[in-house]
Amino acid sequence: MNINLDPSRDDLPLMANTSHILVKHYVLDLDVNFESQIIEGTIVLFFDSGNKFRKKSSSTEETCRPESNEACKFRMLEPCHISVTNTRTFSSKMGYNDFAICGKGEKDTSGKDGNHDNWKLASEISSSKYCCDTGNHGSEDFLLVLDCCDLSVLKVEEVDVAAVPGIEKFTRSPKLTVVSELRNQIVRELVTLPADRWREQLDCYARCSQAPGCGELLFDTDTWSLQIRKTGAQTAPDFPHAIRILYRTKPQGRSVTWTSDQSGRPCVYTMGSPINNRALFPCQEPPVAMSTWQATVRAAASFVVLMSGENSAKPTQLQEGYSSWHYYVTMPMPASTLTIAVGSWTEMKPETYSSNDLAAERRSFSPSEADFRCVGVCGHVEYPCRFQNASAATQEIIPHRVFAPVCLKHTCQETLLRLIPPCLSAAHSVLGTHPFSRLDVLIVPANFPSLGMASPHIVFLSQSTLTGRSHLCGTRLCHEIAHSWFGLAIGARDWTEEWLSEGFATHLEDVFWAKAQQLAPSEAQEQQELRAVLRWRRLQDEVRNSPEEMQVLRPNKEKTGHVSDSGSSLIKHGLNPEKVFMQVHYLKGYFLLRFLARKLGDDTYFSFLRKFVHTFHGQLILSQDFLQMLLENIPEEKRLELSVESIFRDWLESSGIPQPLQTERQAGAECVLVRQVGVEVAKWNRMNRRPRKRKRKEKEVLEKLLPDQLVLLLEHLLEQKTLNPRTLRSLERTYHLPQQDAEP
């Protein structure tokens, strides 16, 4: 299973055999050690292997073929004696009464999914080098495969959940005499508890995670995976349904970043790595492995632990200057969406707002109540869903907190804090029920590689968004809030269809931001046209300067969403270093959605979008799910010869500029804001050509520009062959460039 990627190969393997067995819940119990730059502890995985995982593979042979007597090497370590942080000496166990559940369990989903185009390699990933059966149809032991990278796995053991006091209520068949079957039945009953028993379920998970081990399991690791088996367990239903893994991260692990914040204090955070969370904890990375989680994280008392969780966790003080933090999630989501950040963050409290502030907590942008009514039963797996909660449906502004290094306190209060309420309210007015019940916003360290990142219940923002006026901060905040619906509550079943997340967020950020500013419709349209011009220029640049194969939004075409029989797959271009800097999925996705909205009319389009959110929240989708529902829900006269096939052909499965977009941009008239920029560009060009000494009467009168107009002006001026130093100095003085948003 050791996949040595060819330097010319840039696909990311997803190794987990999710077609055979699924993780339903993770319990993490971790210590954060800043001296060694290691996170260490245990993770307990609770599995389900229902009938859907018992079918025999028909197309891909996955029984391993021994290459030699040494073909299958598994380890069972001697009892481990590892050095751990001091916190473990007093609090490594979390008892029945210690697990605190705060707040209500009501949340949403997210997701993305991977696919592959090299079927031979995908098959090899899951099977060909091991003499152990990764499914349940061979004669050898069942092999559990987890995604894992840059981790030191020290021990794997089965958890004796049957030893937990009171757990016998989960045994349907008291006559069971095989202890392993009894344990698995307990877990099967636990993972299928109804949603209204979520508190009891979390409590049972916590107690079971502290149960003693009942036998070490054989395991091995390679570059991309952790493989585990139990001697004699030949099928997935026979495999232990609760296992504990003792492990530690590595300082250079690619899922986490150890650094210093803007005040010079140490911190660590997950960074949205291309390899996702597999270097933070062993997991099933394919999005179909939708799971819940709970975590206990210990660190020195001077640190604040933020994490994807429904509760606004507060620290529990421990001995010797350490604190413990507890988070939980009751909405199943892919493991890749979990985020953690530990640092000396300070919570930024808002100062008193005046009635004339940009946002007022009770401002209502809401359309008719009928838009928010959930019709029928939700289509997702059962969990405490906010879309079925009447009070959640009318909650425009969810509870939120802001954290940052103390040195940024004034800037956050001046810029960020006052923007969050109107942006949340604007999003609610467009899409309805907030999928998540709360939001933390963290200003991450200066080495954060992008402007923002959204995860369940938490958003990371770059310090760059705090400079200048509120425009960049507001638009970026709206973009990340939009991901609550598209990217998290509704996720892509195939990760190559990134446009389903980024295209929607880019399109919605303009709509949210216009409403947050309370712009008149004509003014909102002008600003959106201006931003479309900027994005058109960026898309043209990207198409000219990137490989054609990376410009396609649906690269796997008819195989989109397919995986091997084991569930393993490859993410096309997932490890390509160029991909990090590309915006094609943002831009082409944005222009497709803008094209559809203009064809249908905003009222029709956004009415449909609210219906789509209610139908698909908590689920994973492919492009055709969105497009088919769109076409089915609009009058025939408004379809205007649109079809799923034509959209695939023109927009999603071709490189370069889509022809409908090319036609639209060529025929479109410039908006007023763009024409104003053209006038100012002409003035600066004249000034740039003039000799140093000129008469006073020749002085140009320059107009004040909006932030996006300034960006467009500078782009035009940079296209000039030369700009003399005098012009550059004048530009800096005229527009106060050092004080502007980071984009100019």
Side-chain angles (χ1 to χ4, degrees):
M1 272 197 196
N2 193 4
I3 306 299
N4 295 315
L5 293 183
D6 187 309
S8 64
R9 182 173 206 92
D10 58 7
D11 297 336
L12 172 67
L14 298 183
M15 308 291 283
N17 51 340
T18 54
S19 294
H20 301 143
I21 191 168
L22 284 176
V23 178
K24 304 301 289 185
H25 189 78
Y26 298 93
V27 179
L28 296 99
D29 188 30
L30 304 174
D31 292 288
V32 181
N33 188 326
F34 280 96
E35 290 186 7
S36 61
Q37 294 191 341
I38 285 173
I39 299 174
E40 61 185 339
T42 63
I43 182 170
V44 177
L45 290 72
F46 295 86
F47 296 98
D48 181 27
S49 62
N51 291 332
K52 63 178 288 188
F53 307 116
R54 300 188 188 200
K55 53 187 178 181
K56 182 174 180 178
S57 163
S58 59
S59 61
T60 303
E61 179 60 48
E62 299 211 274
T63 304
C64 303
R65 310 169 191 82
E67 298 173 4
S68 71
N69 292 334
E70 299 295 316
C72 206
K73 296 182 179 179
F74 284 85
R75 291 175 286 170
M76 182 177 287
L77 299 187
E78 295 298 319
C80 301
H81 301 283
I82 62 172
S83 60
V84 295
T85 59
N86 290 337
T87 56
R88 275 211 174 293
T89 63
F90 54 82
S91 87
S92 62
K93 299 298 179 186
M94 181 174 60
Y96 173 74
N97 295 320
D98 297 327
F99 182 69
I101 302 177
C102 313
K104 296 182 178 181
E106 1 170 76
K107 270 334 124 195
D108 243 75
T109 287
S110 88
K112 301 179 178 180
D113 178 29
N115 187 37
H116 60 84
D117 65 333
N118 187 324
W119 297 97
K120 182 175 184 293
L121 179 57
S123 177
E124 290 172 355
I125 285 175
S126 61
S127 66
S128 66
K129 295 186 180 180
Y130 283 85
C131 56
C132 303
D133 190 3
T134 64
N136 57 0
H137 49 276
S139 59
E140 302 296 335
D141 295 332
F142 170 77
L143 181 68
L144 171 68
V145 183
L146 298 175
D147 293 293
C148 176
C149 182
D150 300 337
L151 294 177
S152 296
V153 177
L154 307 169
K155 180 181 179 181
V156 182
E157 64 181 356
E158 182 176 0
V159 178
D160 188 6
V161 296
V164 176
I167 204 69
E168 59 273 4
K169 63 184 176 181
F170 292 114
T171 56
R172 282 187 181 179
S173 304
K175 296 181 180 179
L176 282 176
T177 56
V178 179
V179 178
S180 60
E181 293 181 7
L182 178 64
R183 297 186 191 113
N184 284 357
Q185 184 188 88
I186 290 171
V187 176
R188 280 194 294 268
E189 294 297 316
L190 178 57
V191 300
T192 56
L193 281 179
D196 59 1
R197 295 174 66 182
W198 65 269
R199 289 181 183 273
E200 177 188 2
Q201 186 181 49
L202 285 176
D203 177 70
C204 288
Y205 280 137
R207 291 190 292 141
C208 287
S209 71
Q210 296 301 325
C214 55
E216 293 190 29
L217 302 177
L218 301 167
F219 72 95
D220 199 7
T221 60
D222 60 26
T223 304
W224 294 109
S225 70
L226 166 65
Q227 311 102 39
I228 304 168
R229 71 177 177 91
K230 179 182 179 180
T231 302
Q234 295 186 2
T235 68
D238 296 333
F239 188 81
H241 281 31
I243 66 172
R244 181 185 294 115
I245 302 171
L246 179 66
Y247 76 99
R248 56 163 65 118
T249 64
K250 296 180 180 180
Q252 303 305 317
R254 285 168 280 175
S255 295
V256 294
T257 296
W258 299 86
T259 186
S260 297
D261 66 17
Q262 292 85 342
S263 297
R265 298 176 178 177
C267 62
V268 61
Y269 64 95
T270 51
M271 49 173 281
S273 166
I275 68 165
N276 300 311
N277 280 329
R278 68 182 73 183
L280 176 62
F281 60 95
C283 58
Q284 290 182 330
E285 290 242 299
V288 294
M290 308 267 276
S291 60
T292 53
W293 58 77
Q294 63 199 83
T296 300
V297 182
R298 288 171 295 278
S302 60
F303 292 101
V304 173
V305 177
L306 301 177
M307 190 174 176
S308 300
E310 296 170 15
N311 57 313
S312 298
K314 302 294 182 183
T316 299
Q317 297 303 317
L318 306 172
Q319 304 171 32
E320 302 177 19
Y322 285 86
S323 297
S324 177
W325 302 71
H326 307 285
Y327 286 94
Y328 66 86
V329 160
T330 62
M331 172 186 172
M333 286 174 282
S336 60
T337 64
L338 184 151
T339 297
I340 187 170
V342 184
S344 299
W345 325 120
T346 299
E347 183 177 358
M348 304 298 169
K349 302 288 186 179
E351 297 176 344
T352 304
Y353 292 146
S354 71
S355 59
N356 295 324
D357 268 331
L358 182 60
E361 288 285 330
R362 296 188 176 274
R363 179 180 298 145
S364 174
F365 293 126
S366 301
S368 68
E369 197 168 333
D371 288 323
F372 297 152
R373 192 174 299 124
C374 188
V375 180
V377 179
C378 294
H380 53 69
V381 298
E382 189 177 11
Y383 66 84
C385 178
R386 283 176 56 82
F387 286 82
Q388 296 180 351
N389 184 318
S391 60
T394 58
Q395 187 180 26
E396 299 173 28
I397 303 170
I398 56 176
H400 52 276
R401 305 182 297 178
V402 174
F403 292 86
V406 67
C407 65
L408 297 177
K409 179 178 181 180
H410 177 73
T411 308
C412 286
Q413 290 177 331
E414 284 288 309
T415 305
L416 177 58
L417 281 170
R418 69 186 186 91
L419 291 177
I420 297 177
C423 291
L424 288 171
S425 186
H428 179 272
S429 75
V430 176
L431 296 179
T433 306
H434 285 283
F436 302 102
S437 62
R438 70 173 198 94
L439 176 67
D440 282 341
V441 179
L442 172 66
I443 302 299
V444 285
N447 68 340
F448 186 66
S450 67
L451 287 176
M453 184 179 79
S455 298
H457 316 283
I458 184 169
V459 162
F460 290 172
L461 284 182
S462 165
Q463 65 176 21
S464 299
T465 63
L466 301 179
T467 60
R469 290 178 274 179
S470 61
H471 178 76
L472 178 59
C473 187
T475 54
R476 196 67 209 185
L477 183 61
C478 286
H479 182 99
E480 303 307 334
I481 288 173
H483 278 311
S484 294
W485 286 268
F486 292 95
L488 295 176
I490 300 173
R493 186 151 61 89
D494 188 319
W495 274 347
T496 62
E497 294 201 299
E498 189 180 350
W499 81 273
L500 288 170
S501 173
E502 298 301 350
F504 275 91
T506 304
H507 186 238
L508 287 167
E509 77 176 61
D510 293 354
V511 180
F512 292 178
W513 183 232
K515 288 184 175 291
Q517 298 175 93
Q518 295 185 292
L519 299 180
S522 59
E523 190 177 359
Q525 183 177 354
E526 279 287 316
Q527 290 198 12
Q528 290 169 17
E529 289 293 335
L530 172 61
R531 291 178 70 78
V533 170
L534 288 169
R535 291 179 179 131
W536 168 244
R537 293 171 61 88
R538 291 170 191 165
L539 179 58
Q540 289 177 301
D541 287 341
E542 182 132 316
V543 167
R544 282 192 295 264
N545 297 290
S546 63
E548 284 192 8
E549 64 270 17
M550 296 184 67
Q551 301 171 15
V552 181
L553 302 192
R554 193 170 179 261
N556 294 323
K557 298 186 179 180
E558 69 277 1
K559 291 183 178 179
T560 301
H562 292 188
V563 296
S564 71
D565 287 354
S566 73
S568 63
S569 60
L570 293 172
I571 307 301
K572 197 172 183 65
H573 305 306
L575 294 174
N576 191 312
E578 290 185 52
K579 193 172 185 298
V580 178
F581 305 101
M582 292 188 65
Q583 298 185 58
V584 66
H585 290 81
Y586 295 72
L587 298 172
K588 288 179 73 170
Y590 156 80
F591 278 112
L592 169 57
L593 296 172
R594 189 171 182 270
F595 168 80
L596 294 173
R598 288 163 69 94
K599 287 284 187 183
L600 305 178
D602 282 351
D603 290 344
T604 300
Y605 175 76
F606 286 106
S607 176
F608 159 75
L609 205 57
R610 287 189 288 272
K611 185 175 181 180
F612 181 79
V613 165
H614 278 289
T615 301
F616 281 99
H617 69 274
Q619 300 174 68
L620 304 173
I621 65 169
L622 298 173
S623 294
Q624 54 263 41
D625 296 319
F626 170 73
L627 296 174
Q628 287 170 355
M629 184 174 173
L630 174 68
L631 297 178
E632 289 169 1
N633 282 268
I634 60 177
E636 189 169 348
E637 65 272 12
K638 286 195 172 185
R639 294 182 191 174
L640 304 172
E641 301 180 353
L642 291 175
S643 68
V644 174
E645 293 74 21
S646 66
I647 294 172
F648 277 178
R649 180 190 67 242
D650 296 338
W651 291 88
L652 302 183
E653 295 182 354
S654 59
S655 59
I657 303 292
Q659 186 57 50
L661 176 58
Q662 189 81 49
T663 303
E664 175 191 308
R665 298 314 303 178
Q666 290 172 350
E670 287 186 342
C671 68
V672 172
L673 295 178
V674 173
R675 290 199 298 270
Q676 289 174 352
V677 173
V679 172
E680 298 306 299
V681 170
K683 294 176 183 177
W684 281 103
N685 284 336
R686 287 195 296 269
M687 293 166 59
N688 188 54
R689 291 193 298 267
R690 285 174 185 162
R692 184 176 183 84
K693 294 183 180 180
R694 62 184 187 274
K695 298 179 181 179
R696 182 178 297 274
K697 66 179 182 180
E698 295 177 343
K699 185 175 182 180
E700 300 280 2
V701 178
L702 300 169
E703 301 296 331
K704 186 176 181 180
L705 298 177
L706 296 172
D708 284 330
Q709 285 182 301
L710 179 56
V711 174
L712 185 57
L713 172 83
L714 295 176
E715 287 188 3
H716 278 299
L717 292 178
L718 287 172
E719 293 171 355
Q720 301 303 309
K721 190 172 183 179
T722 59
L723 286 174
N724 63 56
R726 185 180 70 254
T727 301
L728 294 174
R729 289 192 296 268
S730 184
L731 281 167
E732 182 176 351
R733 288 194 306 270
T734 302
Y735 299 115
H736 310 288
L737 294 183
Q739 287 79 48
Q740 291 291 340
D741 289 337
E743 271 193 299

